[in-house]
Amino acid sequence: MDLLPQYTKNLVDLEPDVIVATGTAEADALKRVTSEMQSPPPIVFMGILSPAKLGLADKITQPSGNLTGLDNFYLELIPKRLQLFHNLIPTMERIAVLGDKRILAYKEIQRTLYGVLEELPIDARMYTVSTMHELEETFKDIEENKIEGILLLPGFFIETSREEIIKQSNLRGIPIFGLYPQDAQKGCLASYGTSYYDQGAQSATMVDKVLRGVKVQDIPIETPDQLDFVINLGTAKKLGIELSPEILSFADRVLEEQDRVSGK
């Protein structure tokens, strides 16, 4: 993260026809570097949350700067994820929420989260996790407070440490509700969102428009074409969680123990 500004400047200095930003931090760094340029390169961000609220774009339908891309809707999906988690395990009373305060939308995520929790019979403890040491301390606290479930929030460390988080949670018998379909495929109890593959494919069509000469201002910011609610039945069985037929029928995909992990 500390080297991101320099890497960003080096990339812009190459004068590419278009730049793809794969996250919020990358998009923000690119905007800062190109904001004073007379002819800034077009930038397409690939799945970030609420670009207008973060100041990365002023208009959704007709961006006025040099950035457009895909809003993955992950801020707006927080209430739905919490509700689905509650529906999966109605008896759950205490959850841990793992986030990363370094991401631009952290405060907005907190406000949204607390607003939803007021309407549900769930107590939540917020943890900011950005290092392995913080993760170890977090799980110690989770055990001490008898946490019954974990909700993941967007964050670079959390997403890159997903397998370790899932491993530690499953060892303690604690179910996780994840962000991407891949989270459920890797061992989370469930997830709700759009996949990396779908975000990439949808963003690629926008990159293609830029390369064909369409101006960024004429490419509206898009929202996901597809959102998937995925349940891992194998994880539920391992954790001794019995899921109702109603919630299983509501899922877009139910993964059995023999299902293989794929990138889609």
Side-chain angles (χ1 to χ4, degrees):
M1 292 290 286
D2 293 337
L3 295 174
L4 185 58
Q6 184 59 50
Y7 286 158
T8 301
K9 184 179 184 304
N10 293 345
L11 180 61
V12 172
D13 287 343
L14 295 175
E15 300 183 358
D17 295 322
V18 60
I19 299 175
V20 178
T22 57
T24 304
E26 293 88 342
D28 182 61
L30 284 165
K31 182 178 181 181
R32 292 175 185 273
V33 169
T34 62
S35 61
E36 301 300 324
M37 297 177 64
Q38 289 188 344
S39 300
I43 298 167
V44 175
F45 46 79
M46 190 180 74
I48 65 175
L49 68 165
S50 301
K53 288 185 179 180
L54 296 179
L56 295 176
D58 56 350
K59 297 177 182 178
I60 299 298
T61 57
Q62 194 174 23
S64 62
N66 62 316
L67 283 82
T68 189
L70 179 65
D71 178 351
N72 60 22
F73 240 48
Y74 276 20
L75 180 64
E76 291 79 3
L77 292 180
I78 289 174
K80 187 67 173 180
R81 289 195 182 105
L82 266 174
Q83 185 63 60
L84 288 171
F85 204 6
H86 174 65
N87 292 347
L88 283 164
I89 314 175
T91 58
M92 182 173 58
E93 297 179 350
R94 296 179 299 277
I95 69 168
V97 182
L98 271 56
D100 188 341
K101 64 182 179 182
R102 296 177 302 173
I103 71 168
L104 295 177
Y106 185 71
K107 291 184 178 180
E108 190 67 34
I109 288 172
Q110 278 187 310
R111 283 193 290 268
T112 301
L113 185 66
Y114 288 136
V116 181
L117 286 168
E118 292 178 358
E119 303 174 7
L120 293 173
I122 297 175
D123 290 326
R125 295 178 69 90
M126 289 284 297
Y127 298 91
T128 179
V129 183
S130 57
T131 66
M132 290 304 299
H133 176 70
E134 288 178 350
L135 184 62
E136 292 170 4
E137 294 301 310
T138 292
F139 272 107
K140 289 179 183 178
D141 199 73
I142 283 174
E143 284 190 283
E144 291 175 3
N145 287 281
K146 295 180 169 52
I147 295 297
E148 301 167 276
I150 296 174
L151 178 73
L152 300 184
L153 296 178
F156 179 77
F157 176 81
I158 290 170
E159 293 172 31
T160 55
S161 305
R162 172 178 56 194
E163 293 190 20
E164 181 63 22
I165 293 171
I166 293 171
K167 174 186 174 183
Q168 294 301 323
S169 299
N170 287 344
L171 284 173
R172 293 165 173 80
I174 303 173
I176 304 179
F177 199 101
L179 301 162
Y180 308 95
Q182 290 87 347
D183 292 346
Q185 292 169 333
K186 289 289 187 179
C188 287
L189 175 64
S191 62
Y192 183 55
T194 184
S195 71
Y196 295 125
Y197 178 89
D198 288 336
Q199 289 184 73
Q202 192 170 344
S203 301
T205 63
M206 306 173 80
V207 172
D208 180 64
K209 290 179 181 178
V210 173
L211 294 175
R212 291 175 181 271
V214 180
K215 295 181 179 179
V216 167
Q217 294 84 351
D218 296 327
I219 305 176
I221 293 172
E222 299 182 9
T223 54
D225 288 335
Q226 181 173 334
L227 296 170
D228 290 320
F229 175 36
V230 184
I231 296 175
N232 189 320
L233 194 58
T235 296
K237 291 177 179 177
K238 289 177 182 177
L239 297 178
I241 298 171
E242 186 173 347
L243 302 176
S244 69
E246 289 80 10
I247 192 68
L248 289 173
S249 67
F250 190 63
D252 296 293
R253 279 189 286 165
V254 176
L255 305 177
E256 302 288 347
E257 288 181 277
Q258 68 272 18
D259 286 334
R260 297 179 64 185
V261 175
S262 68
K264 297 185 180 183

